């Protein structure tokens, strides 16, 4: 497949460029550190987190519902700083995206499910805006994967046809939803396998 057939890469953030900022494992760490009730915290999280990722409530409102619905021995500032500090980059994936973009000149668009404040922090902290051209984040556009509309919107924003795009995500279902829209998909499992698949498209 000729490299000229791919004009734009769509990529997730969490699980591809960075770790997942607030996943089950990290919530479990927070529950232990701050001595929260695990069952209650997880239930409240699942009832409201989609609303936060869709940009319909703020991080403070999310925390009001999940953590600060009762008096705590720690401050909101302390808890938020802890959340932000959980994020970490995958330097090899970031370097790969930067080098391929420089070499081949395609656009890169992020299509991700992230709450606004966490997303803003992660973009700035790890310099994602230095090589990503468009951020179609769920909290910006009020649509979450696996809603197919987020991919349709990303195509409109990037001004490309589905066949011009390769989408990279660590969630197989999200890749499959993108493929239903005519976008080529790459299920990201690790750096080496993704690098090999990109090479098969001509990106070496």
């Amino acid at each position: 497949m000729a490299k000229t057939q791919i004009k734009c890469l769509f990529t997730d953030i969490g699980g591809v460029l960075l770790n997942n900022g607030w996943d089950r494992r990290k919530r479990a760490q927070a529950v232990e550190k701050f001595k929260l009730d695990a069952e209650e915290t997880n239930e409240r999280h699942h009832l409201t987190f989609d609303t936060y990722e869709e940009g319909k409530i703020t991080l403070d409102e999310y925390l009001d519902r999940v953590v600060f619905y009762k008096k705590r021995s720690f401050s909101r500032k302390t808890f938020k700083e802890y959340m932000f500090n959980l994020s970490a980059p995958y330097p090899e994936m970031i370097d790969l995206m930067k080098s391929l973009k420089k070499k081949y000149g395609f656009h890169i668009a992020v299509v991700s499910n992230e709450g606004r404040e966490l997303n803003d922090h992660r973009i700035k902290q790890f310099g994602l805006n230095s090589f990503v051209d468009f951020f179609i984040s769920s909290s910006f556009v009020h649509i979450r994967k696996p809603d197919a509309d987020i991919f349709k919107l990303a195509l409109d924003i990037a001004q490309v046809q589905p066949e011009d795009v390769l989408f990279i995500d660590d969630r197989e279902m999200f890749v499959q939803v993108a493929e239903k829209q005519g976008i080529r998909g790459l299920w990201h499992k690790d750096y080496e396998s993704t690098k090999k698949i990109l090479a098969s498209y001509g990106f070496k």
Side-chain angles (χ1 to χ4, degrees):
M1 191 172 294
K3 62 179 178 292
T4 53
Q5 289 183 273
I6 301 297
K7 298 178 181 176
C8 186
L9 286 184
F10 288 179
T11 182
D12 192 16
I13 293 180
V16 179
L17 302 178
L18 312 177
N19 66 352
N20 289 307
W22 189 237
D23 59 11
R24 184 182 296 107
R25 185 173 61 84
K26 292 183 177 61
R27 291 196 307 278
Q29 292 172 0
V31 163
E32 183 176 354
K33 177 176 176 60
F34 292 96
K35 297 179 171 54
L36 304 174
D37 182 292
E39 185 176 352
E40 179 74 7
T41 300
N42 284 325
E43 181 179 7
R44 285 174 171 269
H45 166 84
H46 288 299
L47 287 171
T48 200
F49 193 62
D50 289 1
T51 312
Y52 173 56
E53 282 197 330
E54 288 176 352
K56 295 178 180 177
I57 60 173
T58 66
L59 179 58
D60 280 326
E61 289 171 313
Y62 165 79
L63 291 176
D64 283 341
R65 298 178 185 185
V66 177
V67 179
F68 295 100
Y69 56 90
K70 61 194 293 186
K71 186 174 177 59
R72 299 295 185 184
S73 61
F74 50 88
S75 70
R76 183 183 300 265
K77 180 181 178 183
T78 297
F79 195 88
K80 285 167 73 172
E81 286 177 351
Y82 177 81
M83 288 181 74
F84 290 147
N85 288 335
L86 291 171
S87 289
Y90 295 144
E92 70 281 3
M93 283 300 299
I94 290 176
D95 289 345
L96 179 62
M97 293 296 104
K98 287 180 176 179
S99 63
L100 291 179
K101 179 177 180 175
K102 183 177 181 180
K103 185 173 182 180
Y104 297 105
F106 49 64
H107 289 302
I108 296 178
V110 154
V111 183
S112 67
N113 291 346
E114 297 212 352
R116 178 174 287 272
E117 292 87 347
L118 286 170
N119 197 207
D120 286 345
H121 167 76
R122 283 151 68 82
I123 290 169
K124 293 180 176 70
Q125 180 69 25
F126 302 107
L128 302 185
N129 52 356
S130 69
F131 63 95
V132 174
D133 299 286
F134 316 103
F135 287 92
I136 301 91
S137 301
S138 59
S139 55
F140 300 168
V141 300
H142 309 303
I143 311 169
R144 295 175 74 252
K145 296 176 295 185
D147 190 330
D149 282 351
I150 196 169
F151 294 104
K152 296 172 185 176
L153 182 61
L155 292 169
D156 286 341
I157 290 172
Q159 284 294 289
V160 288
Q161 296 301 310
E163 60 270 20
D164 298 331
V165 177
L166 179 65
F167 172 57
I168 305 170
D169 201 297
D170 65 317
R171 303 290 180 90
E172 184 181 18
M173 184 176 70
F174 295 164
V175 170
Q176 291 168 341
V177 172
E179 289 174 338
K180 289 285 188 182
Q181 313 312 307
I183 295 168
R184 281 172 277 195
L186 193 168
W187 180 19
H188 174 75
K189 299 174 184 177
D190 55 59
Y191 168 72
E192 290 297 337
S193 62
T194 290
K195 189 168 71 168
K196 288 178 182 177
I197 295 170
L198 286 167
S200 75
Y201 281 92
F203 299 123
K204 300 180 180 179

